[in-house]
Amino acid sequence: MPIDLDDLWRKTGEQIETIYTFDPEINGNITEKINPQRSDRIFFQTTTTKSSFQPVHMELEGVQRIKTSDHLYPSSHWAIHGYFQLDD
């Protein structure tokens, strides 16, 4: 039986600035010469019960260089920060 999951990026408007979580063109931590990818995702399932769980916004974290370095980032992947609204 398939599970019906939603993708946070798709449900929050498919913002182009948040499409890639792995981007060798920007991130100096990545040495491989491959295309940018949306490797990391947040999947969720809304419920039809008493509570309503709705996506509001998403952004990427870790896209700023480490303060003590001109070229290093915290990770090779950007982190996804998701915002949801929970109605009772």
Coordinates of all heavy atoms in Angstrom, one line a residue:
M1 N 0.8 -1.2 0.0 CA 0.0 0.0 0.0 C 0.9 1.3 0.0 O 1.7 1.4 0.9 CB -0.9 0.0 1.2 CG -1.8 1.2 1.4 SD -2.8 1.0 2.8 CE -4.3 1.6 2.1
P2 N 0.7 2.1 -1.0 CA 1.6 3.3 -1.0 C 1.2 4.3 0.1 O 0.1 4.4 0.5 CB 1.3 3.9 -2.4 CG 0.0 3.3 -2.8 CD -0.2 2.0 -2.1
I3 N 2.3 5.1 0.5 CA 2.1 6.1 1.5 C 2.0 7.4 0.8 O 2.9 7.7 0.0 CB 3.3 6.1 2.5 CG1 3.3 4.7 3.2 CG2 3.1 7.2 3.5 CD1 4.6 4.6 4.1
D4 N 1.0 8.2 1.1 CA 0.8 9.5 0.4 C 1.6 10.6 1.2 O 1.1 11.1 2.2 CB -0.7 9.8 0.4 CG -0.9 11.1 -0.4 OD1 -0.1 11.5 -1.2 OD2 -2.0 11.7 -0.2
L5 N 2.8 11.0 0.7 CA 3.6 12.0 1.4 C 3.7 13.2 0.5 O 3.7 13.1 -0.7 CB 5.0 11.4 1.6 CG 5.1 10.2 2.5 CD1 6.6 9.7 2.6 CD2 4.7 10.6 3.9
D6 N 3.8 14.3 1.2 CA 4.0 15.6 0.5 C 5.5 16.0 0.6 O 6.1 15.7 1.6 CB 3.1 16.7 1.1 CG 1.7 16.5 0.8 OD1 1.4 16.2 -0.4 OD2 0.8 16.6 1.7
D7 N 6.0 16.8 -0.3 CA 7.4 17.3 -0.3 C 7.3 18.8 0.1 O 6.6 19.6 -0.5 CB 7.9 17.2 -1.7 CG 9.3 17.7 -1.9 OD1 9.8 18.5 -1.1 OD2 10.0 17.2 -2.8
L8 N 8.0 19.2 1.2 CA 7.9 20.5 1.7 C 8.3 21.6 0.6 O 7.6 22.6 0.5 CB 8.8 20.7 2.9 CG 8.8 22.0 3.6 CD1 7.4 22.4 4.1 CD2 9.8 22.1 4.7
W9 N 9.3 21.3 -0.2 CA 9.7 22.3 -1.2 C 8.6 22.5 -2.2 O 8.3 23.7 -2.5 CB 11.0 21.8 -1.9 CG 11.5 22.7 -2.9 CD1 12.1 23.9 -2.7 CD2 11.4 22.6 -4.3 NE1 12.4 24.5 -3.9 CE2 12.0 23.7 -4.9 CE3 10.8 21.6 -5.2 CZ2 12.1 23.9 -6.3 CZ3 10.9 21.8 -6.5 CH2 11.5 22.9 -7.1
R10 N 7.9 21.5 -2.6 CA 6.8 21.6 -3.6 C 5.6 22.3 -2.9 O 5.0 23.2 -3.6 CB 6.4 20.3 -4.1 CG 7.5 19.6 -5.0 CD 6.9 18.5 -5.8 NE 7.9 17.8 -6.5 CZ 8.5 18.2 -7.6 NH1 8.1 19.3 -8.2 NH2 9.4 17.5 -8.2
K11 N 5.3 22.0 -1.7 CA 4.1 22.6 -1.0 C 4.3 24.0 -0.6 O 3.4 24.7 -0.2 CB 3.7 21.7 0.2 CG 3.2 20.4 -0.2 CD 1.8 20.6 -0.9 CE 1.2 19.3 -1.2 NZ -0.1 19.4 -1.8
T12 N 5.6 24.5 -0.6 CA 5.8 25.9 -0.2 C 6.2 26.8 -1.4 O 6.9 27.8 -1.2 CB 6.9 26.0 0.9 OG1 8.1 25.3 0.5 CG2 6.3 25.4 2.2
G13 N 5.8 26.4 -2.6 CA 6.0 27.3 -3.7 C 7.2 27.0 -4.6 O 7.5 27.8 -5.5
E14 N 8.0 26.0 -4.4 CA 9.1 25.6 -5.2 C 10.0 26.8 -5.5 O 10.4 27.1 -6.6 CB 8.6 25.0 -6.6 CG 7.8 23.7 -6.4 CD 7.4 23.1 -7.6 OE1 7.4 23.7 -8.7 OE2 6.9 21.9 -7.6
Q15 N 10.4 27.5 -4.4 CA 11.3 28.6 -4.5 C 12.7 28.2 -5.1 O 13.3 27.3 -4.6 CB 11.6 29.3 -3.1 CG 10.3 29.7 -2.5 CD 9.6 30.8 -3.2 OE1 10.2 31.7 -3.7 NE2 8.3 30.8 -3.3
I16 N 13.1 28.9 -6.2 CA 14.3 28.5 -6.9 C 15.5 28.7 -6.0 O 16.5 27.9 -6.1 CB 14.5 29.4 -8.2 CG1 15.6 28.8 -9.1 CG2 14.7 30.8 -7.9 CD1 15.2 27.4 -9.7
E17 N 15.5 29.6 -5.1 CA 16.7 29.8 -4.2 C 16.8 28.7 -3.1 O 17.9 28.6 -2.5 CB 16.7 31.2 -3.5 CG 15.5 31.4 -2.6 CD 14.3 31.9 -3.2 OE1 14.2 32.0 -4.5 OE2 13.3 32.3 -2.5
T18 N 15.8 27.8 -3.0 CA 15.9 26.7 -2.1 C 15.9 25.3 -2.8 O 15.7 24.3 -2.1 CB 14.8 26.8 -1.0 OG1 13.5 26.7 -1.7 CG2 14.9 28.0 -0.2
I19 N 16.1 25.3 -4.1 CA 16.0 24.1 -4.8 C 17.1 23.1 -4.5 O 16.9 21.9 -4.3 CB 15.8 24.3 -6.3 CG1 15.4 22.9 -7.0 CG2 17.0 24.9 -6.9 CD1 15.1 23.1 -8.5
Y20 N 18.3 23.6 -4.5 CA 19.5 22.7 -4.3 C 20.0 22.7 -2.9 O 20.3 23.7 -2.3 CB 20.6 23.1 -5.2 CG 20.3 23.1 -6.7 CD1 20.4 24.2 -7.5 CD2 19.8 21.9 -7.3 CE1 20.1 24.2 -8.8 CE2 19.4 21.9 -8.6 CZ 19.6 23.0 -9.4 OH 19.2 23.0 -10.7
T21 N 20.1 21.5 -2.3 CA 20.7 21.3 -1.0 C 22.1 20.8 -1.1 O 22.8 20.8 -0.1 CB 19.9 20.3 -0.1 OG1 19.9 19.1 -0.8 CG2 18.5 20.9 0.1
F22 N 22.6 20.5 -2.3 CA 24.0 20.0 -2.5 C 24.4 20.8 -3.8 O 23.9 20.5 -4.9 CB 24.0 18.5 -2.7 CG 25.3 17.9 -3.0 CD1 26.2 17.6 -1.9 CD2 25.7 17.7 -4.3 CE1 27.4 17.1 -2.2 CE2 27.0 17.2 -4.5 CZ 27.8 16.9 -3.5
D23 N 25.2 21.8 -3.7 CA 25.6 22.6 -4.8 C 27.1 22.9 -5.0 O 27.6 23.8 -4.4 CB 24.8 24.0 -4.7 CG 24.8 24.8 -6.0 OD1 25.6 24.5 -6.9 OD2 24.0 25.7 -6.1
P24 N 27.7 22.0 -5.8 CA 29.2 22.2 -6.0 C 29.6 23.5 -6.7 O 30.7 23.9 -6.5 CB 29.5 21.0 -6.9 CG 28.4 20.0 -6.8 CD 27.2 20.9 -6.5
E25 N 28.6 24.1 -7.3 CA 29.0 25.4 -8.0 C 29.2 26.5 -7.0 O 29.9 27.5 -7.2 CB 27.8 25.8 -9.0 CG 27.8 24.8 -10.1 CD 26.6 25.1 -11.1 OE1 25.9 26.1 -10.9 OE2 26.4 24.3 -12.0
I26 N 28.6 26.4 -5.8 CA 28.7 27.4 -4.8 C 29.5 26.9 -3.6 O 30.4 27.7 -3.1 CB 27.3 27.8 -4.2 CG1 26.4 28.4 -5.4 CG2 27.4 28.8 -3.1 CD1 25.0 28.7 -5.0
N27 N 29.3 25.7 -3.2 CA 29.9 25.2 -1.9 C 31.3 24.7 -2.2 O 31.5 23.7 -2.8 CB 29.0 24.1 -1.4 CG 29.4 23.7 0.1 OD1 30.5 23.8 0.5 ND2 28.4 23.3 0.8
G28 N 32.3 25.4 -1.6 CA 33.7 25.0 -1.8 C 34.1 23.7 -1.0 O 35.2 23.2 -1.2
N29 N 33.2 23.2 -0.2 CA 33.5 22.0 0.5 C 33.4 20.8 -0.4 O 33.9 19.7 -0.1 CB 32.6 21.7 1.7 CG 32.7 22.8 2.8 OD1 33.5 23.7 2.7 ND2 31.9 22.6 3.8
I30 N 32.7 20.9 -1.5 CA 32.5 19.8 -2.5 C 33.5 19.9 -3.5 O 33.7 20.8 -4.3 CB 31.1 19.9 -3.1 CG1 30.0 20.0 -2.0 CG2 30.8 18.8 -4.0 CD1 28.6 20.4 -2.5
T31 N 34.3 18.8 -3.7 CA 35.4 18.7 -4.6 C 35.0 18.0 -5.9 O 35.6 18.2 -7.0 CB 36.6 18.1 -4.1 OG1 36.2 16.7 -3.6 CG2 37.2 18.9 -2.9
E32 N 33.9 17.2 -5.9 CA 33.5 16.5 -7.1 C 32.9 17.5 -8.1 O 32.2 18.5 -7.7 CB 32.4 15.5 -6.8 CG 32.8 14.4 -5.8 CD 32.0 14.5 -4.5 OE1 32.2 15.5 -3.8 OE2 31.1 13.7 -4.3
K33 N 33.1 17.3 -9.3 CA 32.5 18.1 -10.4 C 31.2 17.5 -10.9 O 31.2 16.8 -11.9 CB 33.5 18.3 -11.5 CG 34.8 19.0 -11.1 CD 34.5 20.4 -10.6 CE 35.8 21.1 -10.1 NZ 35.6 22.2 -9.2
I34 N 30.2 17.7 -10.1 CA 28.9 17.1 -10.5 C 27.8 18.3 -10.5 O 28.1 19.3 -9.9 CB 28.4 16.0 -9.6 CG1 28.4 16.4 -8.1 CG2 29.3 14.8 -9.8 CD1 27.9 15.3 -7.2
N35 N 26.7 18.0 -11.0 CA 25.6 19.0 -11.1 C 25.0 19.2 -9.7 O 25.0 18.3 -8.9 CB 24.5 18.6 -12.0 CG 25.0 18.6 -13.5 OD1 25.9 19.4 -13.8 ND2 24.5 17.8 -14.3
P36 N 24.5 20.4 -9.4 CA 23.8 20.7 -8.2 C 22.6 19.7 -8.1 O 22.0 19.3 -9.1 CB 23.3 22.1 -8.3 CG 24.2 22.7 -9.3 CD 24.6 21.6 -10.2
Q37 N 22.2 19.3 -6.8 CA 21.1 18.4 -6.6 C 20.3 18.8 -5.4 O 20.7 19.5 -4.6 CB 21.7 17.0 -6.3 CG 22.6 16.5 -7.4 CD 23.4 15.2 -7.0 OE1 22.9 14.5 -6.0 NE2 24.4 14.9 -7.6
R38 N 19.1 18.3 -5.5 CA 18.2 18.5 -4.3 C 18.2 17.1 -3.6 O 17.2 16.4 -3.5 CB 16.8 18.9 -4.8 CG 15.9 19.3 -3.6 CD 14.7 20.1 -4.1 NE 13.7 19.2 -4.7 CZ 12.6 18.7 -4.1 NH1 12.4 19.0 -2.9 NH2 11.7 18.0 -4.8
S39 N 19.3 16.8 -3.0 CA 19.5 15.5 -2.3 C 18.7 15.4 -1.0 O 18.3 14.3 -0.6 CB 21.0 15.4 -1.9 OG 21.8 15.5 -3.1
D40 N 18.5 16.5 -0.3 CA 17.9 16.4 1.0 C 16.4 17.0 0.9 O 16.2 18.0 0.2 CB 18.7 17.3 2.0 CG 20.1 16.9 2.0 OD1 20.4 15.9 2.6 OD2 20.9 17.5 1.3
R41 N 15.5 16.4 1.5 CA 14.1 16.8 1.4 C 13.4 16.6 2.8 O 13.9 15.8 3.6 CB 13.4 16.0 0.4 CG 14.0 16.1 -1.0 CD 13.5 15.0 -1.9 NE 14.2 15.0 -3.2 CZ 13.8 15.3 -4.4 NH1 12.5 15.6 -4.5 NH2 14.5 15.3 -5.4
I42 N 12.3 17.3 3.0 CA 11.5 17.0 4.1 C 10.2 16.5 3.5 O 9.5 17.2 2.8 CB 11.3 18.2 5.0 CG1 12.6 18.6 5.7 CG2 10.2 17.9 6.0 CD1 12.4 19.8 6.6
F43 N 9.8 15.3 3.9 CA 8.5 14.7 3.5 C 7.6 14.7 4.7 O 8.1 14.5 5.8 CB 8.7 13.3 2.9 CG 9.4 13.2 1.6 CD1 10.7 12.7 1.6 CD2 8.8 13.7 0.5 CE1 11.3 12.6 0.4 CE2 9.5 13.6 -0.8 CZ 10.7 13.1 -0.8
F44 N 6.3 15.0 4.5 CA 5.4 15.0 5.6 C 4.0 14.5 5.1 O 3.8 14.4 3.9 CB 5.3 16.4 6.2 CG 4.7 17.4 5.3 CD1 3.4 17.7 5.3 CD2 5.5 18.0 4.3 CE1 2.8 18.7 4.4 CE2 5.0 19.0 3.5 CZ 3.7 19.3 3.5
Q45 N 3.2 14.2 6.0 CA 1.9 13.7 5.7 C 0.9 14.5 6.5 O 1.0 14.6 7.7 CB 1.7 12.2 6.0 CG 0.4 11.7 5.6 CD 0.3 10.2 5.8 OE1 0.9 9.7 6.8 NE2 -0.4 9.5 4.9
T46 N -0.1 15.2 5.8 CA -1.1 15.9 6.5 C -2.2 14.9 7.0 O -2.4 13.9 6.4 CB -1.7 17.0 5.6 OG1 -2.2 16.4 4.5 CG2 -0.8 18.1 5.3
T47 N -2.8 15.3 8.1 CA -3.8 14.4 8.6 C -5.2 15.0 8.4 O -5.3 16.2 8.3 CB -3.6 14.1 10.1 OG1 -3.6 15.3 10.8 CG2 -2.2 13.4 10.3
T48 N -6.2 14.2 8.5 CA -7.6 14.7 8.4 C -8.3 14.5 9.7 O -9.5 14.6 9.8 CB -8.3 14.0 7.3 OG1 -8.3 12.6 7.6 CG2 -7.8 14.2 5.9
T49 N -7.5 14.3 10.7 CA -8.1 14.2 12.1 C -8.3 15.6 12.7 O -8.4 16.6 12.0 CB -7.1 13.4 13.0 OG1 -5.9 14.1 13.1 CG2 -6.9 12.0 12.4
K50 N -8.4 15.6 14.0 CA -8.8 16.8 14.7 C -7.8 17.9 14.5 O -8.1 19.1 14.4 CB -8.9 16.5 16.2 CG -9.4 17.6 17.1 CD -9.5 17.2 18.5 CE -9.9 18.3 19.4 NZ -10.0 17.9 20.8
S51 N -6.5 17.6 14.4 CA -5.5 18.6 14.2 C -5.1 18.8 12.7 O -5.2 17.8 11.9 CB -4.2 18.2 14.9 OG -4.4 18.2 16.3
S52 N -4.8 20.0 12.3 CA -4.4 20.3 10.9 C -2.9 20.7 10.9 O -2.5 21.7 11.6 CB -5.3 21.3 10.4 OG -4.9 21.7 9.1
F53 N -2.1 20.0 10.2 CA -0.7 20.3 10.1 C -0.4 20.8 8.7 O -0.5 20.0 7.7 CB 0.0 18.9 10.3 CG 1.5 18.9 10.3 CD1 2.2 19.5 11.4 CD2 2.2 18.4 9.3 CE1 3.6 19.5 11.5 CE2 3.6 18.4 9.3 CZ 4.3 18.9 10.4
Q54 N -0.1 22.1 8.5 CA 0.1 22.7 7.2 C 1.5 23.3 7.0 O 2.0 24.0 7.9 CB -1.0 23.7 7.0 CG -2.4 23.2 7.0 CD -2.6 22.2 5.9 OE1 -2.1 22.3 4.8 NE2 -3.4 21.2 6.2
P55 N 2.1 23.1 5.9 CA 3.4 23.7 5.6 C 3.2 25.2 5.4 O 2.2 25.7 4.8 CB 3.9 23.0 4.3 CG 2.6 22.7 3.7 CD 1.6 22.3 4.8
V56 N 4.2 26.0 5.9 CA 4.1 27.5 5.7 C 5.2 28.0 4.9 O 5.1 28.8 4.0 CB 4.1 28.1 7.1 CG1 4.1 29.7 7.0 CG2 2.9 27.7 8.0
H57 N 6.5 27.5 5.2 CA 7.7 28.1 4.6 C 8.8 27.2 4.7 O 8.8 26.4 5.7 CB 7.9 29.5 5.2 CG 9.2 30.2 4.8 ND1 9.3 30.7 3.5 CD2 10.4 30.4 5.4 CE1 10.5 31.3 3.4 NE2 11.2 31.1 4.5
M58 N 9.8 27.3 3.9 CA 11.1 26.6 4.1 C 12.2 27.5 3.6 O 12.1 28.3 2.8 CB 11.1 25.2 3.4 CG 11.4 25.3 1.9 SD 11.9 23.7 1.2 CE 13.6 23.8 1.4
E59 N 13.4 27.3 4.3 CA 14.6 28.0 3.9 C 15.8 27.1 4.1 O 15.6 26.0 4.8 CB 14.7 29.3 4.7 CG 14.7 29.1 6.2 CD 14.5 30.5 6.9 OE1 13.7 31.3 6.5 OE2 15.3 30.6 7.9
L60 N 16.9 27.4 3.6 CA 18.1 26.6 3.7 C 19.0 27.3 4.8 O 19.1 28.5 4.8 CB 18.8 26.5 2.4 CG 18.1 25.8 1.3 CD1 18.9 25.8 0.0 CD2 17.6 24.4 1.7
E61 N 19.6 26.5 5.6 CA 20.6 26.9 6.6 C 22.0 26.4 6.3 O 22.1 25.4 5.6 CB 20.2 26.4 8.0 CG 18.8 26.8 8.5 CD 18.7 28.3 8.8 OE1 19.8 28.9 9.0 OE2 17.6 28.8 8.9
G62 N 23.0 27.2 6.7 CA 24.4 26.8 6.5 C 24.9 27.3 5.1 O 25.9 26.8 4.7
V63 N 24.2 28.2 4.5 CA 24.6 28.7 3.2 C 25.6 29.9 3.4 O 26.0 30.4 2.4 CB 23.4 29.1 2.3 CG1 22.6 27.9 2.0 CG2 22.6 30.2 3.0
Q64 N 25.9 30.2 4.6 CA 26.9 31.3 4.8 C 28.2 30.6 5.2 O 28.3 29.6 5.9 CB 26.4 32.2 6.0 CG 25.2 33.0 5.8 CD 23.9 32.1 6.1 OE1 24.0 31.1 6.8 NE2 22.8 32.5 5.5
R65 N 29.3 31.2 4.7 CA 30.6 30.7 5.0 C 30.9 30.8 6.5 O 30.4 31.7 7.2 CB 31.7 31.5 4.2 CG 31.6 31.2 2.7 CD 32.7 32.0 2.0 NE 32.6 31.7 0.6 CZ 31.9 32.4 -0.3 NH1 31.1 33.4 0.1 NH2 31.9 32.0 -1.6
I66 N 31.8 29.9 7.0 CA 32.2 30.0 8.4 C 33.0 31.3 8.6 O 33.8 31.7 7.7 CB 33.2 28.8 8.7 CG1 32.4 27.5 8.5 CG2 33.8 28.9 10.1 CD1 33.2 26.2 8.7
K67 N 32.7 32.0 9.7 CA 33.3 33.3 9.9 C 34.8 33.4 9.8 O 35.4 34.4 9.5 CB 32.8 33.9 11.2 CG 31.3 34.2 11.2 CD 30.9 34.8 12.5 CE 29.4 35.0 12.5 NZ 28.9 35.6 13.7
T68 N 35.5 32.3 10.2 CA 36.9 32.3 10.2 C 37.5 31.9 8.9 O 38.7 31.7 8.8 CB 37.5 31.4 11.3 OG1 37.0 30.1 11.1 CG2 37.0 32.0 12.7
S69 N 36.7 31.7 7.8 CA 37.2 31.2 6.6 C 36.5 32.0 5.4 O 35.3 32.3 5.5 CB 36.9 29.7 6.4 OG 37.2 29.3 5.1
D70 N 37.3 32.2 4.3 CA 36.7 32.8 3.2 C 36.0 31.9 2.2 O 35.3 32.3 1.3 CB 37.8 33.6 2.4 CG 38.3 34.8 3.2 OD1 37.6 35.3 4.0 OD2 39.4 35.2 2.9
H71 N 36.3 30.6 2.4 CA 35.7 29.6 1.4 C 35.1 28.4 2.0 O 34.4 27.6 1.3 CB 36.8 29.2 0.5 CG 38.0 28.5 1.1 ND1 39.0 29.2 1.7 CD2 38.3 27.2 1.2 CE1 39.8 28.3 2.2 NE2 39.4 27.1 1.9
L72 N 35.1 28.1 3.3 CA 34.6 26.9 3.9 C 33.1 27.2 4.4 O 32.8 28.2 5.0 CB 35.4 26.4 5.1 CG 36.8 25.8 4.7 CD1 37.5 25.4 5.9 CD2 36.6 24.7 3.7
Y73 N 32.3 26.2 4.2 CA 30.9 26.2 4.7 C 30.8 25.2 5.8 O 31.6 24.3 6.0 CB 30.0 25.8 3.6 CG 29.8 26.9 2.6 CD1 30.7 27.0 1.5 CD2 28.9 27.9 2.6 CE1 30.6 28.0 0.5 CE2 28.8 28.9 1.7 CZ 29.7 28.9 0.6 OH 29.6 29.9 -0.3
P74 N 29.8 25.2 6.7 CA 29.6 24.3 7.8 C 29.5 22.8 7.3 O 29.8 21.9 8.0 CB 28.3 24.7 8.5 CG 28.1 26.1 8.1 CD 28.7 26.3 6.7
S75 N 29.0 22.6 6.1 CA 28.8 21.2 5.6 C 28.8 21.2 4.1 O 28.7 22.3 3.4 CB 27.4 20.7 6.1 OG 27.1 19.5 5.6
S76 N 28.8 20.0 3.5 CA 28.7 19.9 2.0 C 27.2 20.0 1.6 O 27.0 20.2 0.4 CB 29.3 18.6 1.6 OG 28.6 17.5 2.1
H77 N 26.3 19.9 2.5 CA 24.9 20.0 2.2 C 24.3 21.2 3.0 O 24.7 21.4 4.1 CB 24.1 18.7 2.6 CG 24.4 17.5 1.8 ND1 23.5 17.0 0.9 CD2 25.6 16.8 1.6 CE1 24.1 16.0 0.3 NE2 25.3 15.8 0.7
W78 N 23.3 21.9 2.4 CA 22.6 22.9 3.1 C 21.5 22.2 4.0 O 21.0 21.1 3.5 CB 21.9 23.9 2.2 CG 22.7 24.5 1.1 CD1 22.3 24.6 -0.2 CD2 24.0 25.0 1.1 NE1 23.3 25.2 -0.9 CE2 24.3 25.5 -0.2 CE3 25.0 25.1 2.1 CZ2 25.6 26.1 -0.5 CZ3 26.2 25.7 1.8 CH2 26.5 26.2 0.5
A79 N 21.2 22.7 5.1 CA 20.2 22.1 5.9 C 18.8 22.7 5.6 O 18.8 23.9 5.2 CB 20.5 22.4 7.4
I80 N 17.8 21.9 5.7 CA 16.4 22.4 5.4 C 15.8 22.8 6.7 O 15.7 22.1 7.7 CB 15.6 21.4 4.7 CG1 16.2 21.0 3.4 CG2 14.2 21.9 4.5 CD1 15.5 19.8 2.7
H81 N 15.3 24.1 6.8 CA 14.6 24.6 7.9 C 13.1 24.7 7.5 O 12.8 25.6 6.7 CB 15.1 25.9 8.4 CG 14.7 26.4 9.7 ND1 15.3 27.3 10.4 CD2 13.6 26.1 10.4 CE1 14.7 27.6 11.5 NE2 13.6 26.8 11.5
G82 N 12.2 23.9 8.0 CA 10.8 23.9 7.6 C 10.0 24.5 8.7 O 10.2 24.3 9.9
Y83 N 9.0 25.3 8.3 CA 8.0 25.9 9.2 C 6.6 25.4 8.9 O 6.2 25.3 7.7 CB 8.0 27.4 8.9 CG 9.3 28.1 9.3 CD1 10.3 28.2 8.3 CD2 9.5 28.7 10.5 CE1 11.5 28.8 8.6 CE2 10.7 29.3 10.8 CZ 11.7 29.4 9.8 OH 12.9 30.0 10.1
F84 N 5.9 25.0 9.9 CA 4.6 24.4 9.8 C 3.7 25.1 10.7 O 4.1 25.6 11.8 CB 4.6 22.9 10.1 CG 5.4 22.1 9.1 CD1 6.8 21.9 9.2 CD2 4.8 21.5 8.0 CE1 7.5 21.2 8.3 CE2 5.5 20.7 7.1 CZ 6.9 20.6 7.3
Q85 N 2.4 25.1 10.4 CA 1.4 25.6 11.3 C 0.5 24.4 11.8 O 0.1 23.6 11.0 CB 0.5 26.6 10.6 CG -0.6 27.2 11.5 CD -1.3 28.3 10.8 OE1 -0.8 28.9 9.9 NE2 -2.6 28.5 11.2
L86 N 0.3 24.4 13.1 CA -0.5 23.3 13.7 C -1.8 24.0 14.3 O -1.7 24.8 15.2 CB 0.3 22.6 14.8 CG -0.5 21.5 15.5 CD1 -0.9 20.4 14.5 CD2 0.4 20.9 16.6
D87 N -2.9 23.6 13.7 CA -4.2 24.2 14.2 C -4.9 23.1 15.0 O -4.9 21.9 14.6 CB -5.1 24.6 13.0 CG -4.5 25.7 12.2 OD1 -3.9 26.6 12.8 OD2 -4.7 25.7 11.0
D88 N -5.4 23.4 16.1 CA -6.1 22.5 17.0 C -7.6 22.3 16.5 O -8.2 23.2 16.1 CB -6.1 22.9 18.4 CG -4.7 23.0 19.0 OD1 -3.9 22.1 18.6 OD2 -4.4 23.9 19.7

